[in-house]
């Protein structure tokens, strides 16, 4: 996180996960600055990627002419990439268009600084933007169907098995999806009639999910070129510039009485009300924690007695090796022991579910995650202790503006 409180401790320097809580005015100022920083990243995409393409052109043109003559397709391919960049920029502009008022409880006003003085976007933010573009493939394209089948389908099937519609009024079954990304899993669950809330921290994701969920309504109406940033491991030059269309479904096609909401903010800060959810479903999420036990503790607290936690994902800790960030990289074995100590009953467990994450299926380098998948129940016959009761607050959790994007790199 950008704002961390430093704790000096014997044997070395430690960094505390909590942000320094500034005055409300300072918090608001930081929030607004962060908002505009992410908007700038969307706006600067073209300049940034075109510069990469220019570099590739310069490198190619520095080759001996006889070598260049052997490669007549290279410059035309780079020219094609330039067109794709321009096209991606148009979609990115559409995503940030009107997002000034997307949070009900937060206004970002007009930009105070002169936009010409905009600081150049960091490589870090640009990488996050490129990852967000790939997330459209995972969540909202036909090309992402196989990946969704491996990641989202098992979770959805468990929800349907645990809360079948012939035994439950599913509209009264509340499901929370922390780290909801572009919202497809939450959308699918809401489509089945469950009350579903996605929670997301990153403005890159929030702007984008807001765009798909609220402003797209025709199947495959838009095109992105998600793979143009990948210059290595292409079998064919045209693989780099192949289009991906989205959305593969009409996001507005949810049944009229469906209940889908998105809440912005840090999961552990937003969800503090005890015993309020029937189900928490985490997909590729728990390794985003500084301290995964804090997530376990939060999920334990917010589940109703008898409620279930469904998890699918790897343990690619997002803060590992990030300077000045707390990161505790626990094994699944250790997490499981802690869960059981909290009182969770592991009702189902598969330790080897092979999945991908925003995979480029034509790349010569492909990662497979060997995920864990489990259902853990908070027992129904639990006596809530006083401490939990003390912290009860009104439901549903208030929508919050998101915290600053930090080093929560996409997997
Ligand atoms: C690896 S992505 C997975 C997204 C989605 N669940 C999926 O499977 O495609 C992790 C997501 O969690 C979000 N995230 C990370 N830390 C968070 C936090 N503390 N609270 C809410 N969301 C968080 C990130 O912004 C990112 O979108």
């Amino acid at each position: 996180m950008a704002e961390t409180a430093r704790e000096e401790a014997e044997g070395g320097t430690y960094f505390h996960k909590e942000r320094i809580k500034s005055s409300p005015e300072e918090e608001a100022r930081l929030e607004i600055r962060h908002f505009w920083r992410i908007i700038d990243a969307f706006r600067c995409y073209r300049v940034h990627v075109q510069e990469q393409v220019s570099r590739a052109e310069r490198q190619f043109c520095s080759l001996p002419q006889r070598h260049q003559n052997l490669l007549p397709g290279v410059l035309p391919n780079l020219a094609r990439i330039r067109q794709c960049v321009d096209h991606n920029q148009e979609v990115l502009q559409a995503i940030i268009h009107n997002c000034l008022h997307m949070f009900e409880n937060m206004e970002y006003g007009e930009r105070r600084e002169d936009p010409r003085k905009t600081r150049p976007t960091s490589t870090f933010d640009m990488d996050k933007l490129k990852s967000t573009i790939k997330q459209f493939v995972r969540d909202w394209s036909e090309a992402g169907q196989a990946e969704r089948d491996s990641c989202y389908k098992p979770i959805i099937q468990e929800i349907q098995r645990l809360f079948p519609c012939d035994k439950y009024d599913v509209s009264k079954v509340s499901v929370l999806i922390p780290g909801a990304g572009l919202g497809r899993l939450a959308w699918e669950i809401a489509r089945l009639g469950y009350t579903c809330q996605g929670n997301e921290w990153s403005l890159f994701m929030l702007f984008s999910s807001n765009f798909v969920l609220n402003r797209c309504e025709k199947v495959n109406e838009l095109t992105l070129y998600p793979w143009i940033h990948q210059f290595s491991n292409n079998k064919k030059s045209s693989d780099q510039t192949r289009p991906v269309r989205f959305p593969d479904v009409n996001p507005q096609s949810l049944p009229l009485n469906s209940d889908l909401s998105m809440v912005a903010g840090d999961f552990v800060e937003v969800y503090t009300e005890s015993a309020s959810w029937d189900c928490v479903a985490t997909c590729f999420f728990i390794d985003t924690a500084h301290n995964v036990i804090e997530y376990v503790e939060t999920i334990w607290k917010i589940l109703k007695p008898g409620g279930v936690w469904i998890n699918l994902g790897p343990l690619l800790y997002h803060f590992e090796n990030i300077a000045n960030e707390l990161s505790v990289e626990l094994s699944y074995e250790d997490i499981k022991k802690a869960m059981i100590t909290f009182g969770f009953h592991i009702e189902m467990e598969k330790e080897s579910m092979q999945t991908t994450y925003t995979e480029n299926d034509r790349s010569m380098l492909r990662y497979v995650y060997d995920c864990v998948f489990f259902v853990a129940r908070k027992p129904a016959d639990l006596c809530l202790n006083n401490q939990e009761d003390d912290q009860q607050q009104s439901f549903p959790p208030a929508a919050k503006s998101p915290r600053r994007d930090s080093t929560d790199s996409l997997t």
Side-chain angles (χ1 to χ4, degrees):
M1 250 151 286
E3 296 75 31
T4 52
R6 177 180 289 200
E7 288 181 345
E8 299 291 337
E10 254 184 55
T13 305
Y14 287 78
F15 293 90
H16 189 46
K17 183 204 164 295
E18 295 297 321
R19 283 185 304 154
I20 298 171
K21 299 285 184 210
S22 316
S23 65
E25 296 75 28
E26 179 64 0
E27 283 285 312
R29 195 186 66 77
L30 290 171
E31 203 71 62
I32 289 167
R33 199 174 70 173
H34 172 69
F35 177 89
W36 286 109
R37 194 189 94 205
I38 306 306
I39 296 280
D40 283 343
F42 276 77
R43 287 179 178 156
C44 292
Y45 167 84
R46 185 198 327 254
V47 172
H48 178 92
V49 186
Q50 295 291 22
E51 177 48 40
Q52 279 184 300
V53 181
S54 299
R55 181 177 174 276
E57 281 167 350
R58 285 196 301 274
Q59 302 277 9
F60 180 77
C61 292
S62 74
L63 298 183
Q65 192 59 50
R66 66 181 188 287
H67 288 178
Q68 290 186 42
N69 292 344
L70 293 169
L71 302 163
V74 171
L75 288 177
N77 189 54
L78 291 174
R80 172 83 186 119
I81 291 174
R82 283 195 187 282
Q83 291 171 349
C84 299
V85 174
D86 287 346
H87 182 88
N88 280 355
Q89 182 68 65
E90 281 173 29
V91 176
L92 296 177
Q93 288 298 136
I95 291 173
I96 55 172
H97 183 69
N98 275 344
C99 64
L100 264 183
H101 309 292
M102 70 177 264
F103 298 112
E104 281 174 22
N105 60 339
M106 186 75 190
E107 282 297 324
Y108 293 94
E110 290 307 316
R111 178 194 224 100
R112 289 196 203 129
E113 297 160 21
D114 180 347
R116 286 166 302 183
K117 289 190 193 152
T118 302
R119 276 172 304 164
T121 297
S122 65
T123 312
F124 174 76
D125 281 344
M126 210 37 78
D127 286 347
K128 296 200 70 148
L129 185 56
K130 291 173 187 171
S131 298
T132 307
I133 292 173
K134 289 195 281 180
Q135 195 83 18
F136 276 91
V137 184
R138 174 175 172 86
D139 267 22
W140 295 103
S141 78
E142 279 159 22
Q145 184 67 55
E147 193 167 292
R148 290 194 298 278
D149 285 350
S150 69
C151 296
Y152 299 164
K153 208 173 181 179
I155 293 176
I156 293 167
Q157 285 173 341
E158 278 307 304
I159 292 174
Q160 290 182 294
R161 183 181 70 78
L162 294 159
F163 304 100
C165 58
D166 54 350
K167 294 215 177 91
Y168 288 82
D169 174 355
V170 294
S171 69
K172 297 207 165 62
V173 176
S174 57
V175 183
L176 174 65
I177 313 289
L182 292 196
R184 182 63 177 263
L185 176 60
W187 186 88
E188 292 288 354
I189 293 166
R191 184 159 70 149
L192 292 168
Y194 299 90
T195 292
C196 192
Q197 185 164 95
N199 157 240
E200 181 50 62
W201 187 32
S202 157
L203 281 180
F204 289 101
M205 294 290 184
L206 288 161
F207 291 161
S208 303
S209 62
N210 176 52
F211 175 71
V212 188
L213 290 169
N214 294 320
R215 308 221 318 266
C216 291
E217 52 189 32
K218 287 202 195 103
V219 171
N220 288 333
E221 66 179 313
L222 292 163
T223 301
L224 277 168
Y225 298 91
W227 315 118
I228 51 172
H229 319 109
Q230 179 180 323
F231 285 84
S232 294
N233 286 314
N234 290 304
K235 281 191 181 150
K236 289 183 183 172
S237 305
S238 58
D239 288 345
Q240 204 180 350
T241 52
R242 71 190 192 279
V244 171
R245 301 186 76 80
F246 75 96
D248 64 310
V249 288
N250 173 6
Q252 312 304 323
S253 63
L254 286 178
L256 270 182
N257 56 353
S258 58
D259 189 343
L260 171 64
S261 56
M262 290 290 272
V263 169
D266 183 341
F267 169 58
V268 293
E269 289 191 0
V270 174
Y271 296 93
T272 53
E273 185 193 349
S274 303
S276 40
W277 296 90
D278 295 301
C279 176
V280 175
T282 48
C283 183
F284 276 72
F285 175 69
I286 62 172
D287 51 5
T288 66
H290 290 270
N291 165 14
V292 60
I293 301 303
E294 197 180 16
Y295 281 3
V296 176
E297 186 173 55
T298 301
I299 294 168
W300 172 259
K301 178 178 175 182
I302 67 176
L303 277 176
K304 294 176 186 171
V308 286
W309 173 17
I310 303 172
N311 174 68
L312 189 151
L315 290 174
L316 178 61
Y317 287 103
H318 286 209
F319 290 100
E320 185 183 355
N321 299 326
I322 305 284
N324 303 342
E325 293 287 353
L326 173 72
S327 179
V328 184
E329 294 90 20
L330 301 183
S331 66
Y332 174 56
E333 182 186 32
D334 286 338
I335 297 171
K336 193 164 120 182
K337 275 189 196 144
M339 287 169 59
I340 290 166
T341 308
F342 268 100
F344 276 112
H345 289 181
I346 313 267
E347 290 191 349
M348 187 283 288
E349 182 184 39
K350 291 184 184 161
E351 285 202 17
S352 185
M353 296 275 284
Q354 308 233 318
T355 72
T356 56
Y357 191 89
T358 61
E359 183 190 52
N360 177 354
D361 63 0
R362 297 207 197 149
S363 173
M364 295 162 79
L365 175 63
R366 291 157 74 177
Y367 291 101
V368 173
Y369 293 91
D370 200 21
C371 295
V372 293
F373 180 41
F374 62 74
V375 173
R377 190 180 294 275
K378 178 171 171 175
D381 52 1
L382 199 78
C383 294
L384 287 179
N385 66 33
N386 293 337
Q387 194 192 352
E388 279 186 334
D389 285 343
D390 288 344
Q391 291 177 2
Q392 295 251 346
Q393 61 183 43
S394 63
F395 181 81
K400 289 182 57 171
S401 61
R403 284 174 64 168
R404 279 157 282 292
D405 277 283
S406 179
T407 41
D408 57 329
S409 57
L410 298 174
T411 310

